[in-house]
């Protein structure tokens, strides 16, 4: 599992971004503030700043991904980096090359940063411990462990729309047991000072002892989202389930699917979030996913600015006001 000590350099600056766990509040705020400076770049006619010019970023995705891979790709390109998108499925690992040898070769190509997504928990941390000292590793999601840039883009979305974390009621609903997003979000939102954080789902999909992370547990959806300012829905990760933990998708929707009617139990101005990909009619009704309270597509847009912030901080090239 990621031990956060290797994430920061001797001056407390970000070197790798592997996990939210253990990171100080001030650093999380710094990421959000940096992302605020990068957000306007996406609205310009020329969506580019020169902060990573001459740097080479390799996207190493060992597990399928659309949003995360493409927004990391866009973030690096908007920072003017050169980007390698490795199609691992078709590459040498399939010919028996070890991960260590793949990394050595990318180092020999003088890459400066690896963005890693891997199905094994702890993979990004393992890679960060192998690489040459000038290389930064960013975790794009490792197994069920953490997905730290997703948590920061979620926190960014919440701060933009709710202004502060101080008085919020936030419910994270669904398959918490298999979700690295839930784990990173709980760490981030607790560190940022959210006072009322709830996880909601069937007992089979809530890890035992999760209360120790500073959340309350609810197995009733209406009770769990009652009065919530933010409702974060999670995808049912059937591909990670070893055995049948649920009766059926239909049954799940009846108990835990977010419909417009059930959303009325949350605060009037509640926002609905989802990291994607969404399963319409399984965890969320289309009427809610496409409705006025949904901010799911804003999360995608903000993800680019947040990833620009993390990448530039790890390379020690931060934005000034307006990312000029
Ligand atoms: C999440 C992931 O891959 O962990 N999605 C994402 O990064 N946008 C959540 C999921 O797959 O359900």
């Amino acid at each position: 599992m990621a031990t956060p000590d290797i994430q920061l350099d001797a001056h407390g600056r970000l070197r790798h971004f592997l996990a939210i766990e253990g990171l100080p509040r001030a650093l999380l705020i710094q990421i959000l503030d940096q992302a605020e400076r990068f957000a306007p770049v996406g609205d310009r006619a020329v969506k580019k700043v020169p902060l990573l010019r001459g740097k080479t970023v390799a996207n190493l995705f060992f597990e399928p991904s659309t949003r995360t891979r493409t927004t990391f790709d866009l973030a690096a390109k908007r920072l003017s980096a050169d980007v390698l998108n490795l199609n691992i499925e078709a590459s040498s690992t399939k010919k028996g090359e070890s991960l260590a040898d793949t990394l050595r070769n990318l180092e020999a190509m003088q890459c400066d940063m690896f963005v890693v997504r891997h199905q094994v928990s702890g993979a990004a941390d393992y890679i960060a411990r192998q690489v040459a000292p000038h290389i930064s590793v960013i975790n794009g999601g490792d197994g069920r462990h953490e997905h730290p840039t997703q948590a920061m883009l979620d926190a960014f979305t919440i701060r933009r729309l709710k202004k502060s974390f101080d008085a919020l009621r936030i419910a994270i609903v669904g398959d918490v047991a298999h979700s690295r997003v839930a784990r990173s979000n709980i760490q981030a939102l607790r560190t940022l000072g959210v006072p009322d954080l709830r996880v909601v789902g069937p007992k089979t999909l809530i890890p035992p002892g999760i209360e120790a992370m500073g959340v309350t547990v609810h197995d009733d959806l209406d009770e769990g989202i009652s009065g919530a300012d933010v409702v974060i829905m999670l995808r049912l990760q059937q591909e990670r389930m070893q055995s049948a933990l649920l009766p059926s998708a239909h049954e799940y929707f009846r108990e835990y699917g977010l419909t417009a009617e059930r959303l009325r139990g949350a605060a009037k101005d509640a926002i609905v979030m989802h990291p994607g990909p969404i399963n319409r009619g399984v965890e969320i009704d289309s009427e809610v996913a496409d409705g006025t309270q949904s901010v799911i597509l804003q999360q995608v847009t903000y993800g680019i600015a947040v990833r620009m912030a993390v990448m530039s901080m790890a390379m020690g090239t931060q934005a000034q006001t307006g990312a000029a």
Side-chain angles (χ1 to χ4, degrees), residues 143-144 171-184 186 198-207 210 218 221 232-246 252 256-257 274-275 277 279 282-284:
R144 316 175 174 193
I172 301 176
V173 182
D175 185 359
V176 177
H178 299 95
S179 177
R180 52 197 174 209
V181 175
R183 232 167 309 282
S184 285
I186 293 169
R198 314 162 184 178
V199 296
V200 186
K203 287 192 174 70
T204 48
L205 296 181
I206 303 287
I210 194 161
H218 304 264
L221 178 64
I232 301 175
M233 300 304 295
L234 300 172
R235 184 176 65 88
L236 262 193
Q237 309 218 343
Q238 314 239 35
E239 77 279 13
R240 293 192 202 281
M241 294 183 193
Q242 309 291 324
S243 54
L245 294 172
L246 291 167
Y252 182 81
Y256 295 100
H274 193 306
N279 283 326
V282 179
E283 70 264 355
I284 190 164

Side-chain angles (χ1 to χ4, degrees), residues 39-282:
V41 174
D43 298 322
R44 292 186 195 158
V46 178
K47 300 179 181 60
K48 252 191 201 313
V49 290
L51 290 168
L52 290 195
R53 193 165 57 195
K55 301 283 187 200
T56 305
V57 176
N59 275 331
L60 309 177
F61 279 63
F62 294 85
E63 197 192 68
S65 163
T66 323
R67 254 160 304 270
T68 304
R69 192 176 54 71
T70 47
T71 53
F72 265 114
D73 189 14
L74 279 176
K77 286 173 175 157
R78 289 186 187 176
L79 289 165
S80 308
D82 296 313
V83 187
L84 294 176
N85 280 303
L86 265 84
N87 185 358
I88 304 277
E89 289 302 307
S91 82
S92 306
T93 47
K94 286 275 171 253
K95 297 184 187 163
E97 183 176 280
S98 74
L99 175 59
D101 284 330
T102 305
L103 296 174
R104 290 288 91 79
N105 278 273
L106 290 165
E107 281 179 4
M109 296 174 206
Q110 292 146 322
C111 289
D112 299 286
M113 181 179 285
F114 297 153
V115 178
V116 180
R117 164 163 294 193
H118 204 287
Q119 58 281 7
V120 174
S121 299
D125 181 77
Y126 171 82
I127 291 171
R129 290 173 193 280
Q130 309 279 321
V131 294
H134 72 280
I135 295 179
S136 285
V137 177
I138 312 286
N139 183 6
D142 64 321
R144 316 175 174 193
H145 175 226
E146 282 229 29
H147 192 350
T149 58
Q150 179 71 44
M152 292 316 295
L153 80 86
D154 288 346
F156 183 87
T157 306
I158 293 168
R159 192 174 77 164
R160 270 244 163 150
L161 298 169
K162 295 288 168 194
K163 307 303 172 213
S164 110
F165 298 103
D166 299 345
L168 291 182
R169 294 181 187 153
I170 300 184
I172 301 176
V173 182
D175 185 359
V176 177
H178 299 95
S179 177
R180 52 197 174 209
V181 175
R183 232 167 309 282
S184 285
N185 267 330
I186 293 169
Q187 298 281 1
L189 296 171
R190 289 296 298 158
T191 304
L192 290 165
V194 171
D196 183 350
L197 195 52
R198 314 162 184 178
V199 296
V200 186
K203 287 192 174 70
T204 48
L205 296 181
I206 303 287
I210 194 161
E211 293 88 345
M213 292 181 81
V215 297
T216 54
V217 174
H218 304 264
D219 64 5
D220 180 84
L221 178 64
D222 298 312
E223 179 195 296
I225 66 172
S226 164
D229 305 292
V230 179
V231 182
I232 301 175
M233 300 304 295
L234 300 172
R235 184 176 65 88
L236 262 193
Q237 309 218 343
Q238 314 239 35
E239 77 279 13
R240 293 192 202 281
M241 294 183 193
Q242 309 291 324
S243 54
L245 294 172
L246 291 167
S248 71
H250 180 75
E251 176 95 341
Y252 182 81
F253 183 71
R254 206 162 48 80
E255 295 291 327
Y256 295 100
L258 189 63
T259 59
E261 192 193 330
R262 301 188 89 164
L263 182 58
R264 276 186 218 114
K268 261 200 166 49
D269 60 350
I271 55 170
V272 176
M273 300 172 59
H274 193 306
I278 60 174
N279 283 326
R280 292 170 184 265
V282 179

